[in-house]
Amino acid sequence: MNKPETFDIANITAEDMDAEKLVTYGSEAFLSKEYLEAEKKLLWPKVWQMVERLEDFPDVGDWITYNVADESIIVTRVAEGDTPDAFRAFHNVCPHRGRQLVSVPDGVHDVRGKGRKNFICGFHGWTFDNEGNNTYLLDPQDWNHKLTPEMTCLSGVKLDIWAGFIYINMDPDSCSLKEWMGRCGEILGHFELEKMRYKWRQWAVYPCNWKVAIEAFLEPYHVAGTHTQLLAYGDYYAASQQYGWHSVSKYDTRDEKFKNSQSSGTVRAGKGEDARVSTYELIRENYETVNFTASTETLVAAAKRMVDELPEGATPAECIAHWLASAKADDAARGVIWPEIPPEIQAESGLAWGIFPNQNILHGVTFASPAYRVRPYGDDPNKCIFECYALERYPEGEEPETQWVEAERTEEHWGPVLMQDFNNMEFVQKGMKSSGFRGTLPNPHQEQKVINLHRNLANFLEGRGAPKLIDRD
């Protein structure tokens, strides 16, 4: 039932993480084919995982395949409305001889279509309606009429909806999606991600394990070493915190004058004597170099005007308040209404949430970007399917038309910051194969999201790769 207490293993605890105890874990989770096989049996069939956005299913009969490891799932809309009852999910396999109902070649992101009224197996023609019931099989008398509907129907998969995302879980005994999301779901619920739409979405097959890929985006601790150009505009000291299955990262500040209810996220003052200028330069640099994410055009434009609208000497707090009020009014004038988020929720929400096992979402009041999902690639622990997308609020009717684009790994397609991250991903995968690598030493304050990922993986994988305490005080 997706509960850690069902596993009797030697693993660190949530209390260990809250105490920021030093831990280490080895490279098994990234390199071992045996570990990958264990994931196929013990992880992916047991966890809630995001399939796609609701807006990709506008009409009854729309359908899509979702593939992870050896599993392929069909999700189809069977009725109007945006509730779970309007959708069905099935394993993409014919119960007769095991052929995929929808052929999904290697190397494709997904297979999708519209107007589907049934699924016909390409091997012997067995046919199934959108509820998964068998409606035709050739020569049923040859089985002496002993085949039952339960024997010939498709295998169903649990489906639920959160924040405009469709999720599936292959374990019929799993906890509910609401229970799975926990406090993370409650906090992000205030940001109304269901009212956002894709700005862009891209994917690539990348030469590293899926965990190496997602870990590259779970903490800002790497900014000082990887994205050195950003240090001219802001400080990137960070903190992180486990929330059970999920975790949050946030910016931390050593100087109290820069703190406000939103300073742990993307809304914060820049580095410099004139907060009007430095705040704009910080938000502009992040927006333009992280492939036009981590903010919006409205927020950037409002920040740029501060030097003309505020007096010299305005404090960071005054700049932030004026900036947000201006951007909120600008958005309202074009038909984008901000959600009302209590200050305590804003403070707790931090910068970005790692949603176990394979998502990370950086969020703001009118955007969720950049956001990531990663998946294993076939039987190779050295490759993964890497996906990045941007969500944003738009005036009604002005949402862009997007689709998943397989993008070459170039600065032109991904922007300079993500290309710097990609460079790390490839060479972390290579480096961990060294006989001189003694195991990881993750930062217990700033990289707790990474540690929590491995703690939770070990809970599913019968202790494999569990983090171990270095100090036992």
Side-chain angles (χ1 to χ4, degrees):
M1 297 231 5
N2 306 150
K3 296 181 181 296
E5 61 267 23
T6 62
F7 304 100
D8 184 16
I9 60 175
N11 196 359
I12 61 171
T13 65
E15 291 73 21
D16 292 330
M17 297 193 66
D18 291 342
E20 298 187 351
K21 292 186 177 181
L22 276 62
V23 304
T24 184
Y25 52 87
S27 57
E28 174 190 11
F30 310 97
L31 306 178
S32 167
K33 289 188 177 181
E34 188 277 334
Y35 189 99
L36 184 150
E37 290 300 318
E39 289 180 342
K40 291 180 181 181
K41 296 178 176 63
L42 302 173
L43 178 68
W44 300 113
K46 302 290 184 180
V47 294
W48 284 100
Q49 47 201 298
M50 183 266 281
V51 172
E52 190 49 279
R53 298 282 296 173
L54 281 170
E55 52 265 29
D56 273 26
F57 299 81
D59 303 313
V60 173
D62 290 348
W63 59 276
I64 185 175
T65 62
Y66 170 71
N67 309 292
V68 59
D70 290 335
E71 304 288 351
S72 182
I73 307 298
I74 298 171
V75 175
T76 183
R77 177 184 277 280
V78 297
E80 300 289 343
D82 290 338
T83 64
D85 290 342
F87 296 86
R88 297 291 184 270
F90 310 101
H91 286 274
N92 181 21
V93 61
C94 179
H96 175 212
R97 295 269 298 280
R99 190 200 193 280
Q100 284 191 334
L101 284 176
V102 176
S103 301
V104 184
D106 292 340
V108 302
H109 183 272
D110 60 66
V111 181
R112 59 179 69 197
K114 300 183 69 65
R116 177 77 75 158
K117 296 181 179 180
N118 55 33
F119 293 90
I120 303 173
C121 180
F123 199 176
H124 298 92
W126 285 33
T127 303
F128 308 86
D129 63 22
N130 285 358
E131 296 286 342
N133 302 307
N134 182 279
T135 58
Y136 171 80
L137 62 87
L138 182 65
D139 295 326
Q141 73 281 353
D142 291 350
W143 283 267
N144 295 320
H145 300 285
K146 292 183 179 179
L147 292 179
T148 65
E150 292 75 22
M151 296 166 66
T152 60
C153 67
L154 299 180
S155 298
V157 173
K158 291 178 71 170
L159 181 148
D160 209 339
I161 295 169
W162 172 79
F165 294 102
I166 293 176
Y167 278 73
I168 58 94
N169 194 316
M170 294 172 247
D171 181 3
D173 297 322
S174 73
C175 66
S176 68
L177 179 59
K178 182 178 180 179
E179 181 181 350
W180 176 258
M181 294 304 300
R183 182 61 175 162
C184 167
E186 294 174 0
I187 292 172
L188 289 179
H190 287 271
F191 291 81
E192 299 179 347
L193 272 65
E194 65 274 8
K195 296 182 179 179
M196 301 180 187
R197 296 294 180 266
Y198 281 123
K199 181 179 183 178
W200 56 261
R201 39 180 160 166
Q202 298 183 165
W203 71 283
V205 176
Y206 208 81
C208 68
N209 188 273
W210 69 269
K211 292 173 288 296
V212 169
I214 197 65
E215 288 175 19
F217 304 96
L218 291 183
E219 40 78 17
Y221 181 58
H222 70 280
V223 171
T226 299
H227 311 303
T228 55
Q229 75 280 2
L230 299 180
L231 300 180
Y233 304 97
D235 292 318
Y236 287 85
Y237 183 65
S240 54
Q241 183 180 355
Q242 64 82 22
Y243 276 75
W245 294 117
H246 317 299
S247 311
V248 67
S249 55
K250 58 188 72 176
Y251 291 124
D252 210 351
T253 55
R254 300 181 180 93
D255 191 334
E256 289 294 325
K257 75 176 182 179
F258 290 107
K259 287 193 174 182
N260 61 70
S261 67
Q262 303 189 68
S263 60
S264 63
T266 56
V267 177
R268 60 198 189 106
K271 181 190 295 184
E273 292 301 319
D274 191 336
R276 302 171 303 169
V277 175
S278 63
T279 300
Y280 162 65
E281 290 179 340
L282 173 64
I283 199 71
R284 175 195 55 78
E285 180 68 15
N286 276 281
Y287 182 66
E288 293 181 355
T289 64
V290 191
N291 212 21
F292 301 97
T293 64
S295 190
T296 66
E297 291 281 359
T298 300
L299 284 162
V300 173
K304 185 177 183 179
R305 297 197 308 267
M306 285 194 295
V307 70
D308 299 319
E309 296 174 350
L310 288 175
E312 186 176 354
T315 66
E318 290 169 341
C319 287
I320 296 296
H322 178 86
W323 171 32
L324 293 181
S326 296
K328 184 177 182 179
D330 292 346
D331 265 342
R334 68 188 188 98
V336 174
I337 307 303
W338 288 21
E340 296 298 328
I341 303 172
E344 64 274 14
I345 294 295
Q346 188 77 63
E348 188 177 0
S349 72
L351 173 70
W353 284 83
I355 301 175
F356 183 79
N358 63 335
Q359 282 183 270
N360 192 63
I361 298 177
L362 186 149
H363 60 280
V365 68
T366 55
F367 62 91
S369 68
Y372 309 92
R373 179 179 66 176
V374 293
R375 292 175 280 166
Y377 184 79
D379 293 322
D380 190 347
N382 297 294
K383 290 183 178 180
C384 71
I385 299 171
F386 174 83
E387 299 158 296
C388 183
Y389 59 92
L391 297 176
E392 191 172 315
R393 285 190 180 225
Y394 291 94
E396 186 174 355
E398 296 184 18
E399 304 89 347
E401 293 286 337
T402 69
Q403 60 184 353
W404 284 105
V405 175
E406 185 174 10
E408 294 182 24
R409 298 191 301 274
T410 65
E411 188 170 311
E412 177 186 0
H413 291 98
W414 295 95
V417 169
L418 287 175
M419 285 305 299
Q420 291 170 330
D421 291 315
F422 290 169
N423 193 52
N424 282 340
M425 288 154 51
E426 178 176 0
F427 292 101
V428 166
Q429 187 71 21
K430 290 179 179 292
M432 284 193 297
K433 296 176 182 179
S434 169
S435 61
F437 183 56
R438 296 182 295 272
T440 62
L441 294 170
N443 185 319
H445 180 69
Q446 300 193 55
E447 297 180 305
Q448 199 170 121
K449 286 170 72 175
V450 177
I451 299 169
N452 201 40
L453 170 63
H454 288 272
R455 178 175 77 95
N456 285 322
L457 285 170
N459 282 337
F460 274 95
L461 298 177
E462 299 175 342
R464 291 174 177 85
K468 299 177 182 179
L469 294 174
I470 295 175
D471 59 342
R472 297 183 176 274
D473 298 336

